[in-house]
């Protein structure tokens, strides 16, 4: 009782590339995340001029703070990159050091953003004030949430690296995914500060 | 067509042919339904007759690769990964008469283990969604915590896959699939 | 079945040099964008075009140097996926703008 089977001409590659499959899979998820941000940008684009008698971007955006946030995020991207280089060489101490720096920078970014948003809310310019502010809070808030998730992820990964006392293949795959995530967030922030903050102040 | 239509129809030239055409269409659909019911009834009644029993997974001499599998398929799907050179790959393979594997063609197959992590995360996400709609803030936070904790627990799980050796695959190839896939998973 | 098991994740990784180049580029482009706006170097429309172009260039720089996107075999599917996503994003944003700008009192 033999089932019909196929003749074989196997080139020898099937699951050798499990790790790169994971990274590609994560990249595909990141692309869907990109589309989420695209729709949030679209919403901001069409409601960005509806102030309902409330403040416009010019009235409430403080560019020095934005510049600070941009610099911090950019710096955190490069420190993460250095961490990845250390990870590929298997140097777990250097990796943890760079991850620590990245975490601190990311946390400062979030703190600045929370400060800015809560200041707006305290002045009565919260997300319910006007369409422009709703779109603004949603867009910037989503970006901030993503960064926060990245920070939590970073912490757990650091704990796992410490626990393993070295950089395992699995940790490296996860770090690569996190690095994709982190750089992607920087790219989103470029769009945010250009099309939200700078265009409102022009 | 609303109800008053039936009273005015003989007098309105615009509606002349369409109801008849629709009736023919409806009769065709009725015939389809009857045939479908008949198919199920006949299949059930004749399920033990010899010509209805197929063990190869290929009762109709299929031309494409999905017919290369038994039904239900083995846990690893293809015992040897097929390399496809053209459309109707299975038909070409059968034509060339090369339907058995040589023993050296089998490789170890890397399989994932079952996990409930996805289902659990999905349930928590359902709770989050529901709570966000109805502004049940404590449930939002509880759901978020549940998702994060499940993810972290899953990330610490080391036993997430297993390998079926080439010899085992060669032995399994051509035999009926075990009734319960869990038997195989726990054995390996 | 033996194969060389190197620490390879299938995604290429750069060198210190590439990260530093990217950093310098990004700083320059960001400062330029902020400068255009705060110093009011051009009129409003030109400013917006300028900062959009600067943002686009900076995104490209990030993609090539931080995310190591190139046309090598290893990265090919990543590039394809990114291209598709850009197309979808453009359709979403442009489409939304178009549709909502064609809204009148009765449409």
């Amino acid at each position: 009782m033999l089932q019909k089977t196929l003749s074989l001409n196997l080139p020898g590659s099937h699951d050798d590339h499990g790790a790169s499959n994971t990274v590609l899979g994560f990249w595909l998820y990141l692309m869907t995340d990109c589309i989420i941000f695209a729709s949030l940008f679209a919403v901001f684009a069409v409601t960005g001029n509806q102030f309902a008698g409330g403040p416009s971007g010019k009235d409430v955006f403080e560019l020095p703070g934005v510049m600070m946030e941009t610099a911090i995020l950019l710096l955190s991207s490069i420190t993460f990159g250095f961490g990845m280089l250390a990870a590929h060489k298997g140097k777990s101490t250097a990796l943890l050091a760079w991850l620590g720096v990245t975490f601190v920078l990311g946390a400062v970014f979030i703190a600045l953003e929370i400060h800015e948003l809560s200041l707006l809310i305290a002045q009565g310019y919260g997300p319910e004030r006007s369409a422009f502010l709703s779109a603004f809070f949603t867009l910037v808030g989503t970006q901030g949430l993503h960064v926060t998730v990245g920070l939590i992820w970073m912490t757990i990964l650091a704990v796992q690296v410490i626990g393993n006392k070295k950089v395992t293949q699995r940790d490296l795959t996860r770090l690569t995914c996190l690095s994709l995530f982190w750089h992607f967030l920087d790219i989103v922030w470029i769009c945010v500060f250009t099309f939200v903050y700078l265009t409102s102040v022009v | 067509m609303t109800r008053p239509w039936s009273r005015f129809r003989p007098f309105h030239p615009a509606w002349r042919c369409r109801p008849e055409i629709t009736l023919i269409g409806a009769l065709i659909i009725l015939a389809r339904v009857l045939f479908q019911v008949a198919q199920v009834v006949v299949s059930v009644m004749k399920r033990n007759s010899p010509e209805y029993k197929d063990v190869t997974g290929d009762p109709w001499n299929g031309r494409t690769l999905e017919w290369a599998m038994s039904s239900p398929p083995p846990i690893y799907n293809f015992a040897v990964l097929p390399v496809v050179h053209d459309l109707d790959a299975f038909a070409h393979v059968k034509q060339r008469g090369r339907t058995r594997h040589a023993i050296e063609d089998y490789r170890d197959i890397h399989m994932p283990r079952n996990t409930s992590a996805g289902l659990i995360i999905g349930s928590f996400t359902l709770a989050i969604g529901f709570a966000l709609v109805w502004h049940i803030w404590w449930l939002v936070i509880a759901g978020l915590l549940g998702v994060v904790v499940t993810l972290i627990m899953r990330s610490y799980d080391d036993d997430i896959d297993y390998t079926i050796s080439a010899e085992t695959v060669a032995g399994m190839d051509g035999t009926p699939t075990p009734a319960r896939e869990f038997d195989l998973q726990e054995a390996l | 079945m033996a194969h060389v098991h190197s620490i390879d994740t299938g995604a290429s990784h750069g060198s210190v040099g590439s990260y530093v180049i990217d950093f310098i580029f990004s700083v320059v482009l960001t400062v330029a964008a902020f400068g255009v706006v705060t110093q009011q170097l051009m009129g409003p429309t030109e400013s917006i075009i300028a900062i959009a172009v600067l943002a686009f260039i900076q995104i490209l720089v990030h993609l090539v140097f931080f995310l190591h996107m190139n046309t090598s075999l290893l990265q090919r599917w990543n590039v394809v996926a990114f291209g598709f996503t850009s197309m979808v994003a453009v359709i979403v944003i442009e489409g939304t703008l178009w549709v909502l700008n064609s809204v009148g009192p009765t449409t």
Side-chain angles (χ1 to χ4, degrees), chain A residues 1-3, chain B residues 54-57 68-79 111 164 169 171-185:
Chain A
M1 170 154 55
L2 292 162
Q3 80 184 53
Chain B
D54 169 76
V55 292
T56 59
M69 290 291 97
S70 66
S71 186
I75 186 176
Y76 45 77
N77 205 353
F78 283 109
M111 296 283 300
I164 308 181
V169 175
M172 280 175 69
D173 194 16
T175 58
T177 311
R180 287 179 51 214
E181 150 182 335
F182 301 102
D183 295 330
L184 176 68
Q185 273 208 14

Side-chain angles (χ1 to χ4, degrees), chain A residues 58 197-202, chain C residues 36-37 40 42-45 47-48 51:
Chain A
K58 229 175 189 129
Y197 289 98
L198 289 182
T199 49
S200 305
V201 176
V202 149
Chain C
V36 162
V37 168
Q40 284 160 1
M42 329 169 183
T45 338
S47 291
I48 293 186
I51 57 181

Side-chain angles (χ1 to χ4, degrees), chain A residues 5 7 16 41 46 72 76 78 84-85 89 91 102 111 116 129 147 164 168 190 200:
Chain A
T5 50
S7 84
D16 299 32
F41 272 107
V46 295
I72 288 176
S76 75
I78 190 175
M84 285 305 293
L85 290 175
K89 297 198 188 97
K91 298 183 189 161
T102 313
E116 176 194 358
R129 179 65 187 84
V147 174
N164 291 334
T168 61
I190 296 174
S200 305

Side-chain angles (χ1 to χ4, degrees), chain A:
Chain A
M1 170 154 55
L2 292 162
Q3 80 184 53
K4 287 200 179 112
T5 50
L6 292 170
S7 84
L8 171 69
N9 191 9
L10 190 68
S13 72
H14 54 274
D15 240 302
D16 299 32
H17 309 291
S20 63
N21 280 343
T22 308
V23 175
L24 175 61
F26 188 78
W27 178 254
L28 293 177
Y29 151 70
L30 223 46
M31 293 295 98
T32 67
D33 218 10
C34 192
I35 298 179
I36 291 181
F37 276 108
S39 35
L40 289 177
F41 272 107
V43 168
F44 185 82
V46 295
T47 55
N49 54 2
Q50 290 164 22
F51 306 115
S56 73
K58 229 175 189 129
D59 301 328
V60 291
F61 291 157
E62 288 163 28
L63 281 192
V66 176
M67 216 159 165
M68 188 75 157
E69 289 171 344
T70 311
I72 288 176
L73 211 55
L74 189 55
L75 206 53
S76 75
S77 261
I78 190 175
T79 57
F80 199 109
F82 291 148
M84 285 305 293
L85 290 175
H88 278 287
K89 297 198 188 97
K91 298 183 189 161
S92 59
T93 334
L95 164 67
L96 287 169
W98 285 119
L99 277 185
V101 174
T102 313
F103 183 87
V104 166
L105 289 170
V108 172
F109 173 86
I110 294 292
L112 283 174
E113 204 165 72
I114 292 182
H115 174 76
E116 176 194 358
L117 294 183
S118 55
L119 209 61
L120 279 176
I121 295 179
Q123 290 173 297
Y125 302 145
E128 69 280 358
R129 179 65 187 84
S130 67
F132 157 72
L133 282 166
S134 287
F136 169 73
F137 269 86
T138 311
L139 182 52
V140 169
T142 307
Q143 211 268 346
L145 264 175
H146 276 72
V147 174
T148 312
V149 166
L151 289 176
I152 298 176
W153 186 359
M154 208 183 297
T155 320
I156 304 295
L157 266 183
V159 167
Q160 289 183 339
V161 168
I162 294 176
N164 291 334
K165 297 198 179 36
K166 64 180 181 69
V167 184
T168 61
Q169 169 69 0
R170 215 159 68 129
D171 287 338
L172 196 59
T173 311
R174 291 172 180 180
L175 281 167
T176 311
C177 293
L178 179 55
S179 102
L180 288 182
F181 190 68
W182 200 255
H183 293 312
F184 168 74
L185 284 179
D186 196 22
I187 293 179
V188 171
W189 179 255
I190 296 174
C191 295
V192 166
F193 87 73
T194 306
F195 295 110
V196 173
Y197 289 98
L198 289 182
T199 49
S200 305
V201 176
V202 149

Side-chain angles (χ1 to χ4, degrees), chain B residues 10-26:
Chain B
F11 309 114
H12 203 311
W15 303 124
R16 286 217 49 199
C17 286
R18 289 168 218 203
E20 283 82 0
I21 298 177
T22 313
L23 176 64
I24 296 175

